[in-house]
Amino acid sequence: LEQIDANSVVVTSPGPEDGKTVTALNLAVAAAGSGQRPLLIDADERTQGLTNLANLANVPGLTDLSATNDDPGDLIRRWGVGAHTDLLFVPAGSSRATDPARFFRSPAFRKAMPTLAANQELVIIDAPPILAVAETTDIAHQADAVLLVVREGTSQKSLSEARTRIAMTGKPVVGYVYNRATDSTRKPAYGYGYGYGYGKPKS
């Protein structure tokens, strides 16, 4: 990130279940382990994977911006990940957005992001899959760069379409994470999963 003068990055993927949420979390943990103080933001309103992992589903977060004039910085929580890692974290929000795409185009969201990023060394934003929903490009507009998580087996067509959509935002791709490569000799260190649903948002 330092090479492109960026301190905020959106983590996304071409499609669901590519592992971008775990990648965002691991990136934040790695940054914290190297002495940085990252801010992790759950902007995947439709699934709220990080928020569910942190058990903060009913805590005010991003989607509550439209209902309050409070300082966005008040939404930052502390999330203890493991015994020695303490992350700064903004959950998805206690109120589900009926139209996530509209919310992420709202003045409330656009004004909040610079405030949240102010004085932060690194901001990591978990966004929805870029080919699945419209709002990911709007989220990327509020960051400096994009990290693309690509699962083994992703088609060249999907990868090309993802790159095209990212290019439309004008934000550089800071890198790629090749995820879920098949290796029959290794077992996963931990399990993680939750139901993706990029159809009609829940009310």
Side-chain angles (χ1 to χ4, degrees):
L1 290 179
E2 293 178 355
Q3 296 178 352
I4 59 169
D5 191 27
N7 79 322
S8 59
V9 59
V10 163
V11 180
T12 185
S13 60
E17 301 183 5
D18 286 342
K20 51 92 184 171
T21 294
V22 173
T23 298
L25 177 58
N26 286 342
L27 181 60
V29 171
S34 68
Q36 290 182 292
R37 191 67 168 162
L39 172 65
L40 183 61
I41 299 176
D42 188 351
D44 192 343
E45 158 63 13
R46 298 172 191 259
T47 60
Q48 302 191 359
L50 290 173
T51 299
N52 291 330
L53 276 176
N55 294 316
L56 294 174
N58 297 316
V59 174
L62 279 183
T63 56
D64 298 287
L65 287 169
S66 59
T68 178
N69 292 320
D70 293 340
D71 181 355
D74 293 339
L75 301 175
I76 298 176
R77 314 293 172 185
R78 293 188 181 276
W79 179 10
V81 181
H84 305 290
T85 304
D86 190 25
L87 299 178
L88 298 179
F89 177 57
V90 177
S94 60
S95 58
R96 298 301 295 262
T98 56
D99 187 348
R102 182 176 182 180
F103 168 75
F104 286 107
R105 295 189 188 107
S106 70
F109 174 71
R110 293 198 305 268
K111 292 179 181 178
M113 292 306 293
T115 301
L116 288 171
N119 302 317
Q120 301 292 343
E121 284 185 274
L122 175 64
V123 180
I124 301 167
I125 306 165
D126 180 32
I130 197 163
L131 299 183
V133 296
E135 63 262 30
T136 304
T137 54
D138 295 295
I139 297 168
H141 275 297
Q142 306 305 317
D144 297 323
V146 176
L147 179 69
L148 190 63
V149 179
V150 181
R151 181 177 56 175
E152 182 182 41
T154 298
S155 68
Q156 287 294 327
K157 179 181 179 181
S158 294
L159 182 57
S160 177
E161 289 177 352
R163 286 177 55 88
T164 297
R165 291 201 186 183
I166 294 170
M168 292 172 62
T169 70
K171 306 298 180 177
V173 176
V174 69
Y176 297 86
V177 174
Y178 184 61
N179 195 33
R180 298 190 176 182
T182 301
D183 185 349
S184 60
T185 66
R186 299 180 61 186
K187 295 182 180 180
Y190 59 89
Y192 171 74
Y194 63 94
Y196 274 84
Y198 291 101
K200 183 178 179 181
K202 297 179 181 179
S203 58

